[in-house]
Amino acid sequence: MILASKSPRRKEILNQLGFQLEIKTKDIEEVSEKENVVDQIKDISWKKVIAVAEENRDEYVVGADTVVEIDGVILGKPRTEEEAKNMLRSLSGRDHRVITAYSIVNLAKNIDITNAVESRVYFKSISEEEIKWYVESREPMDKAGAYGIQGLGSIFVDKIDGDFFAIMGFPINHFIKTLNNLGITIESLNKI
């Protein structure tokens, strides 16, 4: 299976289940003309995967995209430390939505599926000292919404409603159900 993502978290989640992964990515512009936020994320996920699948027609290609959304505003990966601090301030003491879309494509087998999983994350109030400490750790700089739920950012999370792994970047349970619907069993995972 080809993972069309450089995300170490996605690779780790899939490796834990025995997927034999080859990493191949294409640089695409991560924008969508879709109006609905969920449709936008699904579109971007699909674009990442199809760009790789077109050059690997006989292979299963999987990829994903994750965003944080609050008050209708999408928080992607921060470009600067100040942007990361502002994102964390906007999330402090509030709840927000995390949307992860994933796509699986095998052009030779006419498989082209994209789904999205939504979760809600509730943050405690974060002090300026905590924000400064966290941003200085550099952890938020490659994470949607400027935090990683599986790392140091976990100290900000009061509770979640939804799928922890989707918040982390790949909804593995949902993905396995999709594979099962395609007739791919857990026992055969390391063979695809």
Side-chain angles (χ1 to χ4, degrees):
M1 178 178 281
I2 295 172
L3 177 60
S5 172
K6 294 177 188 168
S7 165
R9 291 163 298 283
R10 291 184 184 122
K11 182 177 185 285
E12 176 188 347
I13 292 168
L14 289 162
N15 278 156
Q16 285 177 349
L17 281 177
F19 285 97
Q20 303 301 306
L21 299 172
E22 184 179 354
I23 309 296
K24 291 185 181 181
T25 60
K26 297 291 252 178
D27 286 329
I28 66 144
E29 192 174 1
E30 294 191 26
V31 295
S32 175
E33 300 300 316
K34 307 283 185 186
E35 289 191 25
N36 177 286
V37 173
V38 175
D39 290 338
Q40 289 174 12
I41 306 315
K42 288 169 72 174
D43 189 38
I44 292 168
S45 172
W46 180 81
K47 286 177 179 177
K48 289 178 179 181
V49 171
I50 200 68
V52 174
E54 287 172 344
E55 295 179 359
N56 300 274
R57 299 184 68 78
D58 295 325
E59 301 289 332
Y60 286 94
V61 182
V62 65
D65 195 52
T66 300
V67 295
V68 169
E69 182 266 328
I70 188 164
D71 297 332
V73 176
I74 293 176
L75 305 180
K77 296 175 185 172
R79 293 181 297 269
T80 65
E81 288 188 2
E82 195 56 40
E83 191 174 20
K85 289 176 182 176
N86 288 336
M87 286 183 187
L88 292 166
R89 288 181 191 114
S90 75
L91 299 173
S92 177
R94 303 194 50 212
D95 65 292
H96 58 274
R97 189 165 62 147
V98 178
I99 307 158
T100 296
Y102 69 89
S103 301
I104 180 164
V105 174
N106 182 311
L107 293 174
K109 295 185 180 198
N110 203 28
I111 294 170
D112 188 341
I113 298 170
T114 299
N115 289 313
V117 175
E118 298 181 48
S119 303
R120 191 150 294 276
V121 179
Y122 298 79
F123 264 30
K124 71 173 192 147
S125 292
I126 309 169
S127 69
E128 282 299 312
E129 292 78 21
E130 289 172 315
I131 289 172
K132 181 178 182 293
W133 164 81
Y134 187 53
V135 172
E136 285 176 355
S137 78
R138 305 295 300 159
E139 183 179 276
M141 301 313 294
D142 72 336
K143 313 275 190 307
Y147 76 94
I149 195 167
Q150 74 284 1
L152 300 174
S154 63
I155 68 166
F156 304 138
V157 178
D158 268 339
K159 72 174 185 171
I160 67 169
D161 287 334
D163 183 331
F164 175 83
F165 289 100
I167 298 165
M168 193 172 152
F170 196 83
I172 191 66
N173 178 282
H174 202 278
F175 179 68
I176 294 300
K177 288 177 185 174
T178 299
L179 292 182
N180 290 162
N181 289 338
L182 293 170
I184 300 168
T185 63
I186 195 88
E187 299 83 22
S188 64
L189 293 181
N190 62 354
K191 298 180 181 90
I192 65 168

